[in-house]
Amino acid sequence: MSCIIIGASHGGVQAAINLRTQGYTDPITLISADKVLPYQRPPLSKAFLQNILPEQRLWLRPETFYTQKDIDLRLGTRVVKIDRQKQLVVLDNQEQLSYSKLILATGASIRKLTIPGSDLEGVHYLRDHQDTLGLRDQLPEANNAIVIGGGYIGLEAAASLTKLGKNVTLLINSERPLQHLTSPVVSEYLSALQKANGVNIEVLAGATAIIGEHNKVVAVQAANGKRYPADIVVAGIGVNPEQSLAEDAGLAVENGIKVNQYMQTSDADIFAIGDCVSFYHPMYQKQMRIESVQNATDQAKTAALAICGTLTPYSATPWFWSDQYDAKLQIAGISAGYDEVVVREESEKSLAVFYFSGDNLIAVDAINQPKSFMITRKYLHSLPKVNKIKLADCSQDLNSIFTE
């Protein structure tokens, strides 16, 4: 037997680790398109962009780890085809590798701007190690930075660039940041935080064109009719699941590679994990795709267990985080479909927003309130019914509210 893992980000590396932890002794090949050691992605828009995180601390594991665990790490390598009948993968150098089990940890690919001027020098994205290095190289000569997109990457990039002394304008095509991801309460808090630190936020002002001179960015034209000077542009407009290999191999896809509760695809010998996966979540009773480090590593454990003969259905509570200035936002659960929020505000800089669907608590956004995050995450799996009045009262003990 041999196991090939395509993709060496958080999920792929964790899958290899868990296979060895579970006693898997057959060959493991871990294939990465990146030319550097597998690395953490969250710091790319934060500490690594700000150049306060040394590169060696970006690595998920040191190089010696893979040798010690007998993991054949192939860097700078792409898989171009999966042959399910012969159970082999074809690499971009035409080499063929056979597998008995295959794990797809292909992640997601960045959505790129399609507006005029999007190919100009000075337009950047923040998806991989090289993206951040490329942006960092141009920062010393840049003063005006335009960030396009009001999601987490856009907000984090705006915060990092502001800390680096740049004049930052954030262009958002919706009415508020994180409009499709969180409540107005959280959006307003983060907007105020960004503005207090000097970021100019323009809503309903999606970029319509990037203006250049001598093939370099000089300005961005927005839907509000205004033109903003720019030395650099950072676009954070989302990602798409990387499912092309699976599609070409005839595997079932639906906004991601479809898997069952054990992370098996429509081919029982092929598993998929992480950002590229579409799965049914028993907690929310619906099909979903989650872009999160923790989701990828949890699904890696489920897949490794299944390959080693232990079938344990995936049911982990989703959780996420984002750091901006002095605000640590921690999220447990999925708030989509909420119809009521309850706010627990301990101070101007500490609040938790609890999301309800009817009487059931389905998620929490906690800003500088780690206790609310941890306790809610502990109990959230059952979508509990809790006393909303007590929940908003900071004098009430949270543990007691969840256990009464």
Side-chain angles (χ1 to χ4, degrees):
M1 288 180 66
S2 64
C3 182
I4 294 177
I5 303 169
I6 304 175
S9 192
H10 299 270
V13 171
Q14 190 63 49
I17 292 169
N18 281 109
L19 284 169
R20 289 295 187 231
T21 302
Q22 292 299 318
Y24 188 90
T25 57
D26 292 312
I28 297 174
T29 302
L30 181 59
I31 300 174
S32 174
D34 281 296
K35 295 179 180 179
V36 296
L37 287 174
Y39 53 88
Q40 305 175 63
R41 289 192 184 271
L44 296 179
S45 58
K46 299 187 279 286
F48 192 59
L49 175 56
Q50 295 169 46
N51 208 11
I52 57 176
L53 182 76
E55 192 166 57
Q56 62 268 25
R57 286 184 56 199
L58 196 68
W59 311 140
L60 289 168
R61 292 290 190 278
E63 188 171 6
T64 53
F65 173 85
Y66 302 96
T67 305
Q68 291 167 356
K69 295 295 182 182
D70 195 20
I71 296 167
D72 180 13
L73 177 61
R74 305 274 189 110
L75 299 176
T77 304
R78 290 186 180 275
V79 173
V80 296
K81 182 182 177 182
I82 299 168
D83 187 328
R84 291 167 53 197
Q85 270 62 48
K86 296 180 180 178
Q87 288 199 303
L88 56 82
V89 299
V90 181
L91 307 183
D92 52 3
N93 62 3
Q94 299 308 307
E95 184 181 356
Q96 297 183 357
L97 304 177
S98 62
Y99 68 84
S100 53
K101 300 295 180 186
L102 178 64
I103 300 176
L104 303 178
T106 47
S109 54
I110 202 80
R111 278 189 203 137
K112 296 205 169 182
L113 295 168
T114 56
I115 57 177
S118 53
D119 58 345
L120 289 168
E121 183 183 337
V123 177
H124 298 271
Y125 302 89
L126 287 174
R127 183 62 184 174
D128 61 31
H129 173 264
Q130 283 301 117
D131 289 339
T132 301
L133 290 183
L135 175 56
R136 274 187 5 192
D137 285 348
Q138 290 191 358
L139 286 178
E141 300 172 3
N143 186 36
N144 297 312
I146 302 295
V147 178
I148 300 171
Y152 289 112
I153 293 296
L155 291 170
E156 290 169 0
S160 292
L161 292 170
T162 300
K163 284 183 173 182
L164 291 168
K166 309 307 173 185
N167 296 323
V168 179
T169 295
L170 183 61
L171 298 181
I172 302 172
N173 62 10
S174 55
E175 294 178 344
R176 57 185 175 87
L178 305 177
Q179 181 161 317
H180 303 297
L181 297 170
T182 192
S183 66
V185 178
V186 175
S187 291
E188 288 164 12
Y189 181 97
L190 294 176
S191 290
L193 178 67
Q194 292 279 357
K195 290 174 182 177
N197 281 276
V199 176
N200 173 36
I201 298 180
E202 299 283 1
V203 299
L204 299 176
T208 57
I210 299 173
I211 314 302
E213 291 179 3
H214 309 295
N215 204 40
K216 292 184 179 180
V217 170
V218 296
V220 176
Q221 184 71 41
N224 60 3
K226 296 180 182 179
R227 181 175 290 195
Y228 301 89
D231 302 308
I232 53 171
V233 173
V234 180
I237 56 173
V239 297
N240 295 311
E242 190 47 74
Q243 61 187 38
S244 55
L245 269 178
E247 251 183 311
D248 292 345
L251 298 175
V253 297
E254 181 186 319
N255 183 34
I257 306 165
K258 287 192 75 172
V259 296
N260 64 13
Q261 66 267 46
Y262 310 117
M263 301 297 113
Q264 281 176 304
T265 68
S266 50
D267 182 323
D269 291 321
I270 302 178
F271 296 73
I273 58 176
D275 292 7
C276 65
V277 163
S278 170
F279 67 103
Y280 181 83
H281 203 299
M283 182 172 156
Y284 295 99
Q285 298 183 354
K286 63 181 179 181
Q287 197 78 11
M288 59 176 59
R289 188 177 66 82
I290 297 177
E291 296 162 13
S292 115
V293 169
Q294 197 57 41
N295 177 68
T297 56
D298 285 341
Q299 289 183 342
K301 295 172 187 174
T302 299
L305 283 167
I307 288 171
C308 292
T310 303
L311 297 179
T312 305
Y314 181 79
S315 61
T317 300
W319 63 274
F320 318 81
W321 76 92
S322 177
D323 296 315
Q324 298 164 41
Y325 309 105
D326 62 352
K328 186 168 190 68
L329 170 61
Q330 294 171 291
I331 303 154
I334 304 291
S335 62
Y338 76 91
D339 52 34
E340 185 180 359
V341 298
V342 172
V343 180
R344 186 181 179 95
E345 188 170 1
E346 293 180 352
S347 70
E348 284 186 6
K349 292 190 174 183
S350 172
L351 75 154
V353 180
F354 298 88
Y355 297 84
F356 286 84
S357 177
D359 292 329
N360 297 103
L361 178 62
I362 60 172
V364 64
D365 290 343
I367 298 174
N368 297 331
Q369 210 172 110
K371 185 177 180 182
S372 292
F373 165 73
M374 293 300 294
I375 292 174
T376 305
R377 183 180 155 206
K378 178 180 177 181
Y379 293 103
L380 197 58
H381 63 90
S382 61
L383 301 181
K385 294 178 172 65
V386 296
N387 187 307
K388 297 174 184 177
I389 295 174
K390 289 183 177 180
L391 195 59
D393 184 351
C394 292
S395 69
Q396 297 285 330
D397 178 66
L398 266 181
N399 260 317
S400 300
I401 294 171
F402 278 96
T403 55
E404 65 182 16

